[in-house]
Amino acid sequence: MEWGNVAAWAAAFTAFVAVNASTIQWLLRRRDEQHQRDSSRVDELEKQVIELCVNLPLEYVRREDWIRFSGTLDAKLDAMREEMREEIAEVKERLYAGRN
């Protein structure tokens, strides 16, 4: 083999290694940039979840609490309805007492 051929092969090998090294560097930079973007997205999602956890008790009612509240409210309304019926019955008796 002649020295010219050896030099050409060495140059080709060096170019091949350089291209692969630059490609690997580019891929690593791209991976790091993607990791930073994903990290910032995760941070934003964590903030949103924390905000939701803070606001959730203020804006929403648990099912059990709502059932208890509505049961209490229904009982009070039923008691008021019964009182109103009794009052109406008394008023009717007084109105119609003289007509019988």
Side-chain angles (χ1 to χ4, degrees), residues 6-83:
V6 171
W9 280 105
F13 181 74
T14 303
F16 177 75
V17 168
V19 167
N20 283 334
S22 66
T23 302
I24 289 171
Q25 285 178 341
W26 177 78
L27 287 172
L28 288 175
R29 275 195 309 268
R30 185 172 169 221
R31 184 191 59 88
D32 288 342
E33 290 170 358
Q34 177 113 18
H35 178 70
Q36 284 185 351
R37 279 195 310 267
D38 291 345
S39 178
S40 65
R41 287 182 194 158
V42 167
D43 291 341
E44 183 64 30
L45 284 174
E46 283 179 350
K47 288 177 186 175
Q48 289 176 356
V49 167
I50 289 170
E51 184 178 325
L52 178 65
C53 289
V54 168
N55 291 333
L56 198 61
L58 300 175
E59 296 178 8
Y60 297 97
V61 178
R62 287 183 24 198
R63 183 177 183 268
E64 295 83 14
D65 294 339
W66 178 255
I67 290 171
R68 185 171 16 94
F69 170 74
S70 66
T72 303
L73 189 61
D74 288 343
K76 288 179 180 181
L77 288 173
D78 289 342
M80 286 175 54
R81 183 183 309 122
E82 190 59 35
E83 287 178 21

